[in-house]
Amino acid sequence: MFYNSLFENSLKILPIFLFLLFVAPVILVLSSLFYGYSENWFHLYNYVLSEYIINSIFLIIGVSFFVVLIGVLSSWLVTYYDFTGKSFFEWALILPLAVPPYILAYTFTEIFDTYGSANILLNNIFLLEDKKVFFPNVRNIYGAIAVFSFTLYPYVYLVSRMAFINQSISIIEAGRVLGLSRVGAFFKLSIPLIRPAIFAGLALVIMETLSDFGAVEHFAIATFTTGIFRTWFGMYDLQTAMQLASLLLIFVTVFLVIERISRKKASFVSRNSLYKKYDIIKLKGYNNFFAMLFCFTPIFMGFILPITELLNWTINYKLDFFNIDFLESSFNSLLLAIIAALLCTMISFLVNFSARFQGNKFLLSLSSALMLGYAVPGLILAIGITQLLTFLDNYIEFFKFNFILTGSLIGLIIAYIIKSYALSNSTIEASFQRVSSSLDDVSKTLNISGIKLMYKIHFPLVKTGLLTSILLVGSEVIKELPATLILRPFNFETLAVSAYNYASEERMYEAAAPSIAIVIVGLLPIVILSRIIKNSRPGEELWKKKLV
Amino acid sequence: MEKKISLSLSNIKHSYGGSDFILNDINLDVSEGEIVAILGSSGCGKSTLLRLITGLEKLNYGAIEIYGKTVANKDFSTPPNHRNVGLVLQEKVLFPHLSVLENVKFGIKGKKSFRTKKAIDLLNLFRVDQYVNSYPNNISGGEQQRVAIARAIAPDPQILLMDEPFASLDEDLKKDLRHETKKILNNNNITCILVTHDIEDANSMADRIIKLKDGKIDN
């Protein structure tokens, strides 16, 4: 009885504690705006800040254009048309999600540089004596736009595809009867109706683009993240780095707010729409070829090409693939991924159970507020957590305890949990929603409540969701670069950090092993996602069984 | 004077994916301005018949003519946007991202001022003009259905097709809307095919009632 009430009370406090832990780093970073401004700040303000802003905006505009073009059109093609390879493209279009932008940036430079694989290959094929250069330089902002577009378009593809799949066919048919052609219905109805979904996907892309450090650093593009890193580790001015980070945070928040407002305004959900199977049109001739080419290009550029190049490095340069460094960094990555994934999943499970068990609206809104951690760029989170740990260390020292938090794995784990909570929470929340609330009521009448209810009823029922969450968070943690780079303990290498270190020393071939390992781990959530999408159309199973 | 035939269905047979015929040998002529109710239980093929007339479904056998022009036979099908028919369904299929006024204006051709005036006149006729700037999700089910009928009539279709248009409404609302719709259809001499399983709908709206049973017209 005592333990049960202790458990129930702890459940009430947990989301509040977590909320404070999640916002503390952000508040610490933002507080820097109210401190004094150093000479470095004025130097940045006068000479480079405008460049950071212009480059960031240019990147966002370019990437947004291409991800919408690729993501929306490819999802439209695979949903409403039948063409050669359609069933392959349906899931393969998500594959580039497994390749982090920094790895694509490393491979792109090695492929398209003057003496890169692509130029060498073409020169060899055409037996050219003067080494001709066929491809433009990619180490610039245009190259970065290509890299982000080919790795991040799956965010828009995924949400658009879900939206197209669940779109009311009756509405499109009503438009057709009112005089719209197929193409007209696409532009006037389909696209405006899925606009909130496109915005949601685009918001994720923009946040990822603004947060990226590895790719822009490799291409030597001056953006907020490279600026923050250089200010901190080049000028050793943490204060100014935090002030820059605050500006970036404001930048990200503005996009987040715009996205929320646009979603709120547009209540595009069509209620009462009966499920109807949509007509799938078979494409022939040129149309078939162009549809196929359109879907194949992003998969080729974002997945096949980098993987081929990574394998090329591994095979042709006879690398000692499983050397001790690789094994050590793999072990470290795996260790971090397991700890962070288990903790994050456990926390989301407890928070969701708590919100459901208490039926408390405040806890529910707190739980959704925790999801905003995903939007905080890793670099900012790292700075905030460093500040938080330094602050806590001072207290620990005051109480004469003999350990320090700064530079330990704790900071890293906190950062991963904050970054991945949204992933974990959305999976577990969905699992909880599938469990009927009547089960809770019946359990209570059977005198099962508190810990017992959680352990005996909810845990077995949401087990699949928990496992999915562990896999998703684990793979996200292994890919994460900027926060890991800053918060890792001294000499503690992970796969992402190894790939970054090798690439920054231009030892590209040695970057192959950790990069391939990251991509393989990144494929895990893709398998899960493609299964979720496949089963997402309401009534699909009934159609298969010809019950409607 | 003999009235023109606005819709002619000859030897319509239809099946889904080569299974049993859901419609079997349907022959029907509908005069201009006539309201014909097709009555039948669920699954008897009445909605399929409407989908064939609109062109949303490709015809397997037979022919469909609208004002003497063949719009579908087994080799050829005019797309729905070129058939000049209006469609009202039981489910609410107003465009959720457009206001009530924009929904009604959607199918009207011509200058902006003309389209707006025509749409407002129709909304006025159906007594929903106070919602011009509202969005479909913010008005009631009955009001949504009024807007849906106004939208279907707005482009001056040669034939209006209605599939269980009053099914989701309560009794009082049904009665009012049947009466208003019939009056508007008669005043504007609009040919209408009403598909329903409710004998009350058929009796109060139709000039002629046809029963459909197991895919055939039941004489």
Side-chain angles (χ1 to χ4, degrees), chain A residues 286-508:
Chain A
Y286 286 123
N287 288 341
N288 181 54
F289 174 74
F290 284 121
M292 211 173 69
L293 186 69
F294 189 84
C295 292
F296 181 71
T297 307
I299 304 170
F300 178 75
M301 297 297 282
F303 189 78
I304 299 172
L305 201 60
I307 295 295
T308 314
E309 182 67 5
L310 288 173
L311 290 175
N312 172 34
W313 296 349
T314 316
I315 296 162
N316 289 342
Y317 295 90
K318 295 188 176 59
L319 293 174
D320 180 11
F321 203 89
F322 293 106
N323 61 22
I324 188 75
D325 290 342
F326 172 72
L327 292 176
E328 202 176 297
S329 49
S330 301
F331 174 77
N332 290 343
S333 284
L334 205 64
L335 179 78
L336 281 174
I338 291 171
I339 297 174
L342 284 175
L343 277 175
C344 193
T345 303
M346 194 179 80
I347 289 170
S348 328
F349 175 67
L350 285 174
V351 169
N352 275 285
F353 176 77
S354 163
R356 183 185 169 113
F357 183 66
Q358 320 274 354
N360 188 327
K361 278 192 181 166
F362 173 68
L363 289 185
L364 274 175
S365 42
L366 219 53
S367 170
S368 21
L370 293 177
M371 287 171 70
L372 290 176
Y374 184 77
V376 184
L379 201 56
I380 296 178
L381 210 52
I383 297 177
I385 288 172
T386 309
Q387 290 295 94
L388 178 69
L389 296 185
T390 313
F391 173 80
L392 291 174
D393 277 338
N394 290 337
Y395 269 86
I396 291 168
E397 202 177 44
F398 178 79
F399 288 109
K400 310 271 184 229
F401 288 118
N402 195 19
F403 62 90
I404 46 168
L405 296 168
T406 313
S408 71
L409 285 180
I410 292 174
L412 256 185
I413 305 282
I414 294 175
Y416 292 148
I417 291 174
I418 296 177
K419 277 295 276 179
S420 316
Y421 182 81
L423 267 180
S424 175
N425 185 63
S426 46
T427 319
I428 292 170
E429 200 180 7
S431 301
F432 266 105
Q433 277 164 0
R434 283 194 290 271
V435 179
S436 161
S437 59
S438 329
L439 271 182
D440 298 17
D441 298 340
V442 173
S443 308
K444 279 173 195 163
T445 63
L446 294 168
N447 207 18
I448 298 175
S449 143
I451 293 183
K452 226 175 170 185
L453 179 70
M454 184 184 86
Y455 176 67
K456 290 216 159 178
I457 310 290
H458 287 134
F459 181 73
L461 290 172
V462 299
K463 222 163 42 188
T464 319
L466 298 177
L467 194 67
T468 311
S469 155
I470 290 172
L471 285 175
L472 289 177
V473 175
S475 93
E476 194 62 28
V477 165
I478 287 177
K479 283 196 283 183
E480 213 289 333
L481 176 65
T484 318
L485 203 57
I486 291 173
L487 290 168
R488 72 198 163 116
F490 182 67
N491 251 352
F492 185 88
E493 301 269 317
T494 67
L495 289 170
V497 172
S498 292
Y500 167 79
N501 283 342
Y502 286 132
S504 56
E505 291 164 16
E506 295 290 329
R507 292 158 69 191
M508 304 309 294

Side-chain angles (χ1 to χ4, degrees), chain A residues 236-256:
Chain A
Y236 301 101
D237 185 350
L238 178 59
Q239 182 65 26
T240 307
M242 279 167 66
Q243 283 157 344
L244 260 183
S246 304
L247 282 188
L248 173 58
L249 199 60
I250 293 167
F251 221 70
V252 172
T253 314
V254 168
F255 279 102
L256 209 64

Side-chain angles (χ1 to χ4, degrees), chain A residues 2 10 17 46 52 92 223 226 273 278 320 331 336-337 367 410 419 425 440 522:
Chain A
F2 168 74
S10 320
F17 169 74
N46 289 327
Y52 294 164
T223 63
T226 50
S273 289
Y278 40 75
D320 180 11
F331 174 77
L336 281 174
S367 170
I410 292 174
K419 277 295 276 179
N425 185 63
D440 298 17

Side-chain angles (χ1 to χ4, degrees), chain A residues 168-182 188-190 192-193 195 265 267-277 279, chain B residues 51 54-57 79-82 84-87 89-98 103 106-109 135 137 144 151-152 155:
Chain A
S168 164
I169 299 307
S170 303
I171 285 183
I172 308 299
E173 287 181 349
R176 296 274 284 131
V177 174
L178 283 166
L180 292 180
S181 64
R182 242 172 220 287
K188 287 197 164 178
L189 295 176
S190 283
L193 281 169
R195 209 176 64 204
K265 269 190 181 170
S267 170
F268 293 173
V269 183
S270 170
R271 295 185 197 123
N272 303 323
S273 289
L274 295 175
Y275 171 73
K276 256 183 217 155
K277 196 160 175 66
D279 274 342
Chain B
R51 289 178 66 79
T54 52
L56 293 169
E57 197 73 50
N81 47 323
H82 292 143
N84 199 14
V85 292
L87 180 66
L89 299 170
Q90 172 193 344
E91 53 179 314
K92 313 291 182 293
V93 287
L94 291 179
F95 305 132
H97 63 301
L98 300 180
N103 260 281
F106 198 87
I108 307 173
K109 291 198 168 62
Y135 279 82
N137 286 342
Q144 284 187 37
R151 185 181 71 178

Side-chain angles (χ1 to χ4, degrees), chain B residues 88-153:
Chain B
V88 181
L89 299 170
Q90 172 193 344
E91 53 179 314
K92 313 291 182 293
V93 287
L94 291 179
F95 305 132
H97 63 301
L98 300 180
S99 69
V100 163
L101 180 66
E102 286 164 333
N103 260 281
V104 180
K105 272 166 69 176
F106 198 87
I108 307 173
K109 291 198 168 62
K111 280 188 180 167
K112 196 180 168 190
S113 56
F114 166 75
R115 291 166 59 219
T116 308
K117 188 181 176 309
K118 190 171 179 186
I120 290 177
D121 286 348
L122 272 165
L123 288 169
N124 193 16
L125 213 57
F126 279 96
R127 296 192 284 126
V128 277
D129 51 322
Q130 68 272 40
Y131 300 117
V132 280
N133 294 320
S134 303
Y135 279 82
N137 286 342
N138 299 328
I139 59 176
S140 72
E143 287 151 0
Q144 284 187 37
Q145 205 59 331
R146 285 165 196 267
V147 177
I149 301 172
R151 185 181 71 178
I153 293 174

Side-chain angles (χ1 to χ4, degrees), chain A residues 47-277:
Chain A
Y47 299 106
V48 284
L49 191 60
S50 58
E51 197 186 350
Y52 294 164
I53 295 173
I54 290 168
N55 281 347
S56 298
I57 291 176
F58 190 69
L59 259 181
I60 289 169
I61 293 172
V63 174
S64 300
F65 173 77
F66 285 108
V67 293
V68 170
L69 185 78
I70 302 170
V72 175
L73 272 182
S74 58
S75 59
W76 180 62
L77 284 170
V78 297
T79 309
Y80 291 116
Y81 295 91
D82 188 10
F83 51 94
T84 313
K86 171 203 156 99
S87 49
F88 162 75
F89 292 125
E90 271 176 355
W91 62 267
L93 277 159
I94 325 173
L95 284 175
L97 212 53
V99 182
Y102 56 87
I103 290 183
L104 192 65
Y106 303 158
T107 50
F108 263 29
T109 45
E110 290 306 295
I111 295 168
F112 298 115
D113 259 0
T114 312
Y115 294 103
S117 323
N119 281 318
I120 291 172
L121 189 72
L122 287 178
N123 277 299
N124 288 346
I125 289 173
F126 296 113
L127 302 169
L128 299 170
E129 288 192 4
D130 293 332
K131 294 292 175 203
K132 277 205 182 304
V133 179
F134 290 90
F135 299 97
N137 177 22
V138 289
R139 284 184 194 245
N140 52 38
I141 200 156
Y142 304 103
I145 288 175
V147 160
F148 288 122
S149 301
F150 286 123
T151 47
L152 301 178
Y153 81 84
Y155 285 117
V156 176
Y157 167 79
L158 275 170
V159 289
S160 310
R161 175 133 167 81
M162 292 286 238
F164 278 134
I165 283 177
N166 291 295
Q167 192 161 64
S168 164
I169 299 307
S170 303
I171 285 183
I172 308 299
E173 287 181 349
R176 296 274 284 131
V177 174
L178 283 166
L180 292 180
S181 64
R182 242 172 220 287
V183 176
F186 172 70
F187 283 111
K188 287 197 164 178
L189 295 176
S190 283
I191 292 288
L193 281 169
I194 68 156
R195 209 176 64 204
I198 298 175
F199 274 166
L202 196 56
L204 282 176
V205 170
I206 290 172
M207 280 186 275
E208 291 279 338
T209 308
L210 285 173
S211 313
D212 176 81
F213 169 71
V216 284
E217 214 261 347
H218 192 69
F219 285 162
I221 299 164
T223 63
F224 275 108
T225 46
T226 50
I228 294 166
F229 203 78
R230 278 175 206 161
T231 312
W232 192 1
F233 293 100
M235 299 176 178
Y236 301 101
D237 185 350
L238 178 59
Q239 182 65 26
T240 307
M242 279 167 66
Q243 283 157 344
L244 260 183
S246 304
L247 282 188
L248 173 58
L249 199 60
I250 293 167
F251 221 70
V252 172
T253 314
V254 168
F255 279 102
L256 209 64
V257 170
I258 292 173
E259 191 262 331
R260 290 279 148 135
I261 292 172
S262 72
R263 265 209 274 184
K264 233 181 197 172
K265 269 190 181 170
S267 170
F268 293 173
V269 183
S270 170
R271 295 185 197 123
N272 303 323
S273 289
L274 295 175
Y275 171 73
K276 256 183 217 155
K277 196 160 175 66

